[in-house]
Amino acid sequence: MGALLHFKAAASNRAHVLRATALLAARLPPVRRRLAAALAGLSPATAHPARRIHGGQRAPDVPLLTILPGAPDRLFEALRDGRHVHLTPPCGTPDPRAAALDHPLTTVRSAAYRRPCLVRPDGHFL
């Protein structure tokens, strides 16, 4: 907190120019998304589902491909029943770890990922 107060109260012209530039950059949409993800406690990797998946990382709420009426349309809707969710790509093969899982499992398809993945009931990747 002290560094922020020092930055605001700096008397030099360079500090004022740096502060004005930082405030202008914070208005750009990519910077705003990154700041919003950081303030929400999400890493930048969880803000974009196309990036690499790591175990224990929070899964974003991605749209699901549904055929049946009443089926969940989003990942977080599929997680509401307290079961693991097996996300598979539209034309992909299932995750081999899904067959070895002893927990109840819901399998859904999503175009957000190119590889199959497992999501725990708490919303984190397995």
Side-chain angles (χ1 to χ4, degrees):
M1 186 71 172
L4 289 175
L5 290 174
H6 179 71
F7 184 62
K8 173 105 172 116
S12 71
N13 285 338
R14 284 193 305 182
H16 288 292
V17 170
L18 182 64
R19 179 177 170 266
T21 305
L23 289 174
L24 283 175
R27 293 182 181 170
L28 297 172
V31 176
R32 291 178 78 164
R33 278 193 296 271
R34 201 166 174 134
L35 285 172
L39 289 173
L42 301 172
S43 69
T46 60
H48 303 286
R51 294 197 181 165
R52 187 172 173 88
I53 297 170
H54 299 286
Q57 178 183 7
R58 179 87 172 145
D61 190 18
V62 294
L64 304 177
L65 304 174
T66 58
I67 299 172
L68 301 173
D73 292 333
R74 311 225 22 111
L75 174 62
F76 288 174
E77 291 177 20
L79 289 169
R80 283 188 189 143
D81 62 358
R83 302 170 66 160
H84 283 74
V85 174
H86 180 211
L87 285 173
T88 58
C91 299
T93 58
D95 192 335
R97 298 177 301 165
L101 196 63
D102 292 335
H103 303 289
L105 185 69
T106 302
T107 301
V108 293
R109 293 199 178 274
S110 176
Y113 298 102
R114 286 181 256 149
R115 292 179 154 178
C117 54
L118 293 169
V119 181
R120 300 186 316 226
D122 65 352
H124 291 81
F125 290 110
L126 189 63

